[in-house]
Amino acid sequence: MARLKDVSWPLALALGAFALVRPLLSMAGVMDDLGRPVAPLVATAVISAVWIVAVGVSRGRHPVLTLVAAGLVYGVLAVVMSAVGSLLLTGQLQGPLTTPWGVGVVATLVVNAVWGAVTGVLAAWLQRALNRRPMPH
């Protein structure tokens, strides 16, 4: 059974941070300029493709767990970015942290963990298709 120590943490952290391009584009108004809802969907698809290829061509032992971790890293960073960004841009706290009982934070983490799981399954399939053997412990 996979354990947290089996996660490729450098890769999960890098991919989670890379996904911040999506909220950054949104905060900068680029998503509005490019057109909603297409621009956010395209950004998500590109990020997903990068995640799948990066983990799929690696020899990581647990692609699903690694990308679930990347999704959770992204979720935590996005919540923090939302809070800091809203305070800087509007002067008031907005986003998931403002929801009662932390529902917004939990929802953000769950959605991004599921996103990581789906992309992780696709990355595992890519590893098998490329006949990548996991690195030994």
Side-chain angles (χ1 to χ4, degrees):
M1 175 142 209
R3 297 173 303 234
L4 288 179
K5 73 176 192 130
D6 295 328
V7 170
S8 176
W9 285 107
L11 188 55
L13 291 169
L15 293 174
F18 171 72
L20 290 175
V21 71
R22 189 177 185 279
L24 285 171
L25 289 173
S26 186
M27 290 171 69
V30 174
M31 295 292 194
D32 292 328
D33 293 343
L34 295 175
R36 292 184 183 268
V38 174
L41 292 173
V42 170
T44 301
V46 169
I47 293 164
S48 297
V50 168
W51 283 16
I52 292 163
V53 170
V55 174
V57 301
S58 78
R59 293 176 180 251
R61 292 181 106 12
H62 301 287
V64 175
L65 191 57
T66 296
L67 283 172
V68 167
L72 290 171
V73 166
Y74 167 69
V76 168
L77 293 174
V79 167
V80 171
M81 178 184 277
S82 172
V84 172
S86 67
L87 285 170
L88 292 174
L89 295 173
T90 69
Q92 56 186 355
L93 183 63
Q94 297 173 354
L97 286 176
T98 63
T99 59
W101 304 296
V103 171
V105 174
V106 172
T108 298
L109 295 177
V110 168
V111 165
N112 288 296
V114 170
W115 178 28
V118 170
T119 56
V121 167
L122 295 172
W125 173 82
L126 181 59
Q127 275 187 342
R128 282 192 296 279
L130 295 174
N131 198 25
R132 297 281 183 177
R133 299 250 190 266
M135 298 278 287
H137 283 298

